[in-house]
Amino acid sequence: MTVKDISKIEGLRLAAEGNMELPVSRIFCCDLLSIAMGKAPAGCAWVTVMGNKNTVAVASLTDTACIILAEGVHLSEADRECAAGEGISVFETELPVFEAALALHRLKENL
């Protein structure tokens, strides 16, 4: 599965475009940046409700493939520019964290 594949999930909107060709190895759910910094696997699709520049910074440090902001969380314009500048794609959705992760899992299973 690639970041581009994730963009096809109904209910997800691309808020910041990074490298859409990156492979996605795993799905990771976490809302504590300090834990994500130490445990987010490289190449993961990170589902969270933490939508700010610190999230983008942690994603960059951990080589996260993309961020999915759940529960209707949105990035500010400055944070969108930061994510795009770091090459990190960010999606936004109204789905709860679990349902967003489940949609990713189903996509991965069907590819």
Side-chain angles (χ1 to χ4, degrees):
M1 174 169 71
T2 65
V3 174
K4 188 175 188 177
D5 293 326
I6 291 172
S7 69
K8 299 172 188 168
I9 295 176
E10 186 175 334
L12 265 62
R13 184 182 73 77
L14 186 63
E17 186 171 344
N19 184 347
M20 299 294 283
E21 300 304 321
L22 286 175
V24 176
S25 58
R26 294 182 52 193
I27 301 160
F28 178 73
C29 300
C30 183
D31 293 325
L32 292 174
L33 298 179
S34 58
I35 291 175
M37 195 179 312
K39 297 198 180 232
C44 72
W46 179 14
V47 184
T48 185
V49 296
M50 299 297 296
N52 57 50
K53 66 181 176 182
N54 294 328
T55 306
V56 173
V58 170
S60 180
L61 285 171
T62 59
D63 293 324
T64 294
C66 65
I67 301 167
I68 296 94
L69 296 176
E71 307 278 355
V73 173
H74 300 286
L75 286 180
S76 69
E77 186 58 39
D79 294 339
R80 278 190 192 97
E81 291 173 13
C82 179
E86 291 291 329
I88 300 170
S89 297
V90 180
F91 297 93
E92 297 172 344
T93 183
E94 297 296 321
L95 293 172
V97 170
F98 176 80
E99 290 182 24
L102 185 59
L104 290 167
H105 174 74
R106 287 180 175 150
L107 175 66
K108 188 172 181 171
E109 291 294 310
N110 290 320
L111 287 178

